[in-house]
Amino acid sequence: ARVAIPDERYDWLCEHYKPKSKVPTYLEVTDIAGLVRGAAQGKGLGNAFLANIRAVDGIFHVVRVFPDSDVTHVDGEVDPVRDLETIVGELAAKDIEFVEKQLAAADHAVRMGIDKSKAAAAETYRKVLTVLQEGREVRIQEWTNSEIEHLNELQLLTAKPVIYLLNMSEKDFRRKKNKHLRAIMEWVKARGADQVIPFCASLEQNLMAMEPEAAAAYCAENEVQSMMSRIITTGYHELHLIHFMTAGSDEVRCWTIRDGCKAPDAAGCIHSDMKNGFICAEVMAFDDLKRPRVRSCRPRSRAAPPGGAALPHGLRATSSWSSSGRREP
């Protein structure tokens, strides 16, 4: 699925400028079937599923916490902590298998004099193996900058950011209670306190099938709210992504950049010439833009110098960035 990132600023710009073209920023989500015990050894379609996980940048880990006799569980009964342990164990087992091969290749290259620079990588691989064999996950550990460079080459499954989505029954979601929640939160906290978001998949499905007015009325009547916006935006920010906007009567567009991206690099998302010829970017607070008599950023602007500040989230590039020759970032 390709889902637009909710952003009230983008919605306001579209309403204000009424452009011919509207281009929000997106998060791509791939649905991957659940893993069974032994997937790392190829049971079921484990190898195919694990390869699919390796291809993504982050993981939404959906955990079932509701009983339902019509929805069978592969292990018989619902036990979320057991299921979490199974998935984490399979990901770690696949990482161990992969790192062992990389370590053997690196050691061979050093020993045979083929590539002495692999010695530092081999030391990082040994540290990774120790972490995994002790039941810890790579993303939660502290690493030096040089170790991170070696880790980035591996694209390990346990190095990817994880958000746990607790799929509850609508009854439990309404009352914000479930007998498994305490055990799940303790398990997550003990492993490094990843993001946890309770939600109800059946409720979300029903709300999506309704007209917006009917969905809002249902939520008000039953004192519930959709969690989709929170899930999408949390996933987006866990990948360290932000965006800035360009706006006018022809187009309102969001441009996705990495958090901490320098202003010239952000300009380069629009066109390489804008990066190469970058002088400065005039920016203004979004709340100032919304004021009826404030349409120029010059009186209260701040300049982003060529090599210095990044474009802050919540500030907007002014129209001094030409809209001609735009390309996808």
Side-chain angles (χ1 to χ4, degrees):
R2 191 166 180 251
V3 293
I5 306 300
D7 192 326
E8 293 180 355
R9 301 168 306 159
Y10 170 79
D11 295 337
W12 185 89
L13 289 171
C14 289
E15 177 64 26
H16 177 74
Y17 287 102
K18 296 179 173 51
K20 300 173 184 176
S21 174
K22 304 175 184 179
V23 185
T25 190
Y26 291 97
L27 183 70
E28 293 188 4
V29 182
T30 302
D31 185 16
I32 300 172
L35 300 176
V36 298
R37 191 173 291 106
Q41 287 74 47
K43 289 187 179 180
L45 295 175
N47 284 330
F49 292 157
L50 288 165
N52 290 336
I53 296 173
R54 193 176 297 280
V56 303
D57 298 310
I59 301 172
F60 283 125
H61 188 161
V62 182
V63 185
R64 174 180 171 182
V65 298
F66 65 89
D68 190 334
S69 58
D70 294 330
V71 184
T72 58
H73 192 290
V74 66
D75 289 324
E77 62 180 1
V78 175
D79 185 343
V81 172
R82 176 205 58 207
D83 295 343
L84 287 164
E85 292 282 5
T86 296
I87 300 300
V88 170
E90 294 303 321
L91 297 180
K94 201 64 179 178
D95 276 351
I96 289 173
E97 176 188 327
F98 180 71
V99 175
E100 286 177 338
K101 292 179 180 178
Q102 296 299 310
L103 176 58
D107 281 342
H108 176 76
V110 174
R111 186 171 59 253
M112 300 301 293
I114 299 172
D115 188 352
K116 295 292 185 180
S117 66
K118 290 292 185 181
E123 288 305 310
T124 300
Y125 300 162
R126 288 189 180 88
K127 183 176 177 179
V128 170
L129 281 177
T130 299
V131 167
L132 293 171
Q133 290 165 350
E134 291 177 351
R136 294 176 287 152
E137 294 172 85
V138 172
R139 71 179 178 280
I140 298 170
Q141 308 308 307
E142 294 291 333
W143 305 94
T144 66
N145 289 337
S146 60
E147 288 171 338
I148 290 172
E149 290 182 7
H150 299 309
L151 289 172
N152 287 340
E153 297 172 357
L154 298 177
Q155 292 294 300
L156 297 175
L157 301 173
T158 58
K160 300 180 184 296
V162 175
I163 299 169
Y164 296 103
L165 305 181
L166 309 186
N167 187 9
M168 308 170 68
S169 68
E170 185 169 342
K171 177 182 177 181
D172 284 352
F173 183 68
R174 287 180 186 176
R175 63 195 186 109
K176 298 179 175 61
K177 293 182 179 179
N178 181 277
K179 66 179 182 179
H180 298 293
L181 289 182
R182 180 186 294 259
I184 294 171
M185 296 305 296
E186 289 177 352
W187 184 90
V188 172
K189 184 178 180 180
R191 303 185 71 88
D194 289 306
Q195 292 269 10
V196 178
I197 302 177
F199 82 116
C200 175
S202 60
L203 171 64
E204 299 294 345
Q205 186 175 25
N206 292 336
L207 292 177
M208 289 181 67
M210 299 179 188
E211 294 296 326
E213 295 79 6
Y218 183 90
C219 289
E221 179 181 350
N222 293 279
E223 298 183 343
V224 295
Q225 62 178 340
S226 171
M227 300 301 289
M228 279 297 102
S229 291
R230 181 181 171 190
I231 290 171
I232 294 167
T233 53
T234 302
Y236 182 70
H237 293 305
E238 281 294 300
L239 295 177
H240 303 290
L241 298 176
I242 60 174
H243 53 272
F244 66 96
M245 297 112 172
T246 50
S249 58
D250 288 336
E251 180 183 75
V252 171
R253 178 186 287 258
C254 294
W255 301 89
T256 303
I257 55 177
R258 297 285 293 181
D259 192 4
C261 176
K262 302 294 185 182
D265 294 322
C269 289
I270 302 176
H271 197 287
S272 59
D273 289 348
M274 297 181 71
K275 177 180 179 180
N276 297 334
F278 187 88
I279 299 175
C280 72
E282 292 180 345
V283 295
M284 69 184 301
F286 186 75
D287 287 343
D288 286 345
L289 178 68
K290 293 171 66 174
R291 293 173 183 166
R293 294 186 180 181
V294 180
R295 287 294 178 265
S296 171
C297 64
R298 292 185 181 279
R300 302 178 61 190
S301 67
R302 294 189 296 173
L311 276 177
H313 193 211
L315 301 183
R316 167 187 170 272
T318 70
S319 57
S320 60
W321 285 9
S322 170
S323 62
S324 63
R326 289 178 174 170
R327 299 186 300 184
E328 291 288 345

